[in-house]
């Protein structure tokens, strides 16, 4: 299986680099082979066909990156014919070495090793067929050893390249995963903040509209609650937006939402007409920031759902501090309903928060038909 790098659109610089290697190697190979011919009078004399064979291997390197296997076999044929025709030994082998190294390194392992075997067997077998026996066993084994060393050297570089690419893919996947988790966390925060405060504003606005004509003096607390809830929503939203922008401006921010703000949450919810009772079991103690925030948001979303959807007048929040986990339970006294509760974005978001911490969250009916949310968050 081949692993090739994506080929970018050629630029002036890349074209120059692609031309440089064939050009330089062509000059070196032709000049070196001509010089070797003068020093080896017993070999076939240099002629135009020798130059053509050399140029087939060197010039084809221009297409090495785009068509590696075709260039590989072109150099194999040109080099093999050059050797069997007994031209002088020279730098003709350079193009073949470069092509084999590149193809194996880029992942064309079968083609690279097949080319090594083809040139070696073709050279040794061709000489036997043509009756050329000027090389001894030692020389034949030496050439074979050099080919094997070339192949394994290319394999080492290929393995290194694969490790680098795998590490890059792993980093990219981790970055994408972290970005996805961060988007989910931000979406949950925005949903919890907006849904809670808008629900309170909606309830208080309905109350104010109902009282404004009949008992205008009693509409003032509802309007005040709307003002406070909208102000608090704007503060939290601006805080989240400031984090997204990573700005250093002194935006008004509240402490990270946690169970220490539970009393404030209960008071706000009570102003919407829902009586909330809090029961704590165990010894309260500081919690990890992520778990503390998740616990607060689960309770907040549970109360928001009750205010928005349940025809309830009271809710009970139970918090149990255990040695291994924190257990949250929120019940309401809604009307008698049958069947499992419908899971909307609120319950799904709460379950995602619990699951992200390795915990669980269930939504069931109470014996009276109300909604019961139970979340277990491991410490």
């Amino acid at each position: 299986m081949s692993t090739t790098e994506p080929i970018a659109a050629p630029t002036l610089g890349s074209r120059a680099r692609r031309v440089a290697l064939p050009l330089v190697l062509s000059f070196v190979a032709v000049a070196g082979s001509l010089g070797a011919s003068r020093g080896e009078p017993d070999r076939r004399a240099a002629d135009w066909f020798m130059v053509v064979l050399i140029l087939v291997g060197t010039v084809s390197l221009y297409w090495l990156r785009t068509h590696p296997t075709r260039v590989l076999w072109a150099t194999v044929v040109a080099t093999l014919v050059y050797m069997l025709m007994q031209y002088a030994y020279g730098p003709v082998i350079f193009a073949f070495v470069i092509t084999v190294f590149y193809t194996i390194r880029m992942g064309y392992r079968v083609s690279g090793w097949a080319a090594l075997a083809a040139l070696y067997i073709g050279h040794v077998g061709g000489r036997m067929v043509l009756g050329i026996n000027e090389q001894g066993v030692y020389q034949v084994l030496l050439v074979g050893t050099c080919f094997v060393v070339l192949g394994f050297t290319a394999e080492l570089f290929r393995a290194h390249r694969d490790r680098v690419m795998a590490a890059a893919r792993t980093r990219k996947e981790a970055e994408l995963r972290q970005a996805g988790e961060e988007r989910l966390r931000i979406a949950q925060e925005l949903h919890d903040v907006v849904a809670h405060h808008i629900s309170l504003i909606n309830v208080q606005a309905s109350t104010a509209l109902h009282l404004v004509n009949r008992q205008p003096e009693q509409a003032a607390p509802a309007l005040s609650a709307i003002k406070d809830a909208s102000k608090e929503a704007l503060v939290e939203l601006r805080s989240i937006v400031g984090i997204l922008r990573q700005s250093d401006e002194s935006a008004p921010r509240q402490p990270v939402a946690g169970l220490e703000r539970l009393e404030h949450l209960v008071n706000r919810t009570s102003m919407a007409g829902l009586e909330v009772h809090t029961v704590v079991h165990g010894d309260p103690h500081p919690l990890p920031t992520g778990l503390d925030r998740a616990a607060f948001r689960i309770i907040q979303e549970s109360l928001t759902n009750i205010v928005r959807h349940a025809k309830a007048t009271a809710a009970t929040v139970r918090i149990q501090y255990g040695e291994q986990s924190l257990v949250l339970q929120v019940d309401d006294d809604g009307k008698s309903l049958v069947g499992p509760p419908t899971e909307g974005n609120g319950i799904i978001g709460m379950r995602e928060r619990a699951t992200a911490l390795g915990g669980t969250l269930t939504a069931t009916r109470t014996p009276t038909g109300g909604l019961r949310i139970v979340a277990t968050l491991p410490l």
Side-chain angles (χ1 to χ4, degrees), residues 142-191:
L142 179 61
V143 172
T145 302
C146 291
F147 277 21
V148 172
V149 170
L150 171 61
F152 278 109
T153 302
E155 289 284 2
L156 290 176
F157 279 84
R158 180 200 57 79
H160 173 72
R161 174 180 175 271
D162 289 347
R163 287 194 298 271
V164 171
M165 293 181 65
R169 285 195 299 269
T170 301
R171 284 196 302 272
K172 186 175 181 179
E173 291 171 358
E175 291 171 358
L176 292 175
R177 184 173 60 254
Q178 291 173 357
E181 293 172 352
E182 186 64 14
R183 284 195 299 269
L184 177 61
R185 187 187 69 81
I186 293 170
Q188 290 173 337
E189 289 290 319
L190 287 173
H191 175 270

Side-chain angles (χ1 to χ4, degrees), residues 32-41 43-46 50 82 87-89:
S33 297
L34 291 175
S37 294
R38 289 193 293 269
E40 300 178 30
R43 309 290 294 179
R44 182 187 290 267
M50 183 192 79
Y82 182 99
Y87 286 115
Y89 292 111

Side-chain angles (χ1 to χ4, degrees), residues 63-375:
W63 295 277
L64 179 59
R65 187 181 178 196
T66 54
H67 302 91
T69 54
R70 296 180 184 180
V71 173
L72 174 65
W73 290 108
T75 58
V76 170
V77 172
T79 306
L80 180 59
V81 173
Y82 182 99
M83 290 180 172
L84 293 179
M85 293 189 69
Q86 301 187 68
Y87 286 115
Y89 292 111
V92 65
I93 196 69
F94 287 176
F96 173 76
V97 170
I98 292 173
T99 308
V100 168
F101 181 87
Y102 181 84
T103 51
I104 294 179
R105 178 181 175 272
M106 296 305 294
Y108 299 92
R109 303 173 65 191
V110 174
S111 297
W113 283 102
L116 285 171
L119 183 60
Y120 182 74
I121 296 174
H123 180 232
V124 175
R127 284 181 173 274
M128 293 176 61
V129 171
L130 297 175
I132 305 172
N133 298 315
E134 62 184 28
Q135 287 186 330
V137 176
Y138 172 77
Q139 291 174 310
V140 172
L141 292 177
L142 179 61
V143 172
T145 302
C146 291
F147 277 21
V148 172
V149 170
L150 171 61
F152 278 109
T153 302
E155 289 284 2
L156 290 176
F157 279 84
R158 180 200 57 79
H160 173 72
R161 174 180 175 271
D162 289 347
R163 287 194 298 271
V164 171
M165 293 181 65
R169 285 195 299 269
T170 301
R171 284 196 302 272
K172 186 175 181 179
E173 291 171 358
E175 291 171 358
L176 292 175
R177 184 173 60 254
Q178 291 173 357
E181 293 172 352
E182 186 64 14
R183 284 195 299 269
L184 177 61
R185 187 187 69 81
I186 293 170
Q188 290 173 337
E189 289 290 319
L190 287 173
H191 175 270
D192 293 344
V193 169
V194 172
H196 177 71
H197 292 294
I198 294 300
S199 297
L200 297 184
I201 291 173
N202 180 65
V203 172
Q204 294 296 341
S206 300
T207 302
L209 287 174
H210 180 73
L211 297 175
V212 68
N213 292 326
R214 300 180 182 181
Q215 298 173 309
E217 69 282 355
Q218 295 185 10
L223 295 174
S224 178
I226 291 174
K227 177 183 177 181
D228 293 341
S230 61
K231 180 180 179 181
E232 188 171 343
L234 289 173
V235 168
E236 291 202 38
L237 286 175
R238 186 179 178 188
S239 177
I240 294 175
V241 172
I243 294 174
L244 292 177
R245 291 176 176 171
Q246 295 183 347
S247 61
D248 296 329
E249 62 183 37
S250 57
R253 295 184 181 182
Q254 295 180 339
V256 176
L259 292 180
E260 74 280 354
R261 297 186 59 201
L262 181 60
E263 183 178 356
H264 176 75
L265 174 63
V266 169
N267 292 335
R268 286 288 183 198
T269 307
S270 298
M271 294 177 66
L274 180 68
E275 184 179 355
V276 182
H277 305 281
T278 304
V279 181
V280 178
H281 301 281
D283 184 21
H285 52 80
L287 301 171
T289 302
L291 188 147
D292 195 23
R293 181 175 60 246
F296 177 81
R297 292 305 189 193
I298 289 174
I299 295 174
Q300 182 186 53
E301 181 60 26
S302 299
L303 296 178
T304 300
N305 285 342
I306 295 173
V307 171
R308 294 174 61 187
H309 306 297
K311 297 179 179 179
T313 58
T316 302
V317 177
R318 290 183 173 86
I319 303 175
Q320 181 174 352
Y321 289 86
E323 295 182 0
Q324 303 294 331
S325 62
L326 178 74
V327 181
L328 311 173
Q329 180 176 318
V330 181
D331 298 338
D332 66 64
D333 64 349
K335 302 296 182 179
S336 297
L337 298 175
V338 295
T342 302
E343 296 193 4
N345 291 331
I347 294 178
I348 293 174
M350 289 189 289
R351 181 172 289 113
E352 288 174 346
R353 286 186 181 276
T355 303
L357 295 172
T360 59
L361 185 139
T362 59
T364 58
R365 295 291 180 192
T366 64
T368 60
L371 180 65
R372 169 171 293 170
I373 300 293
V374 179

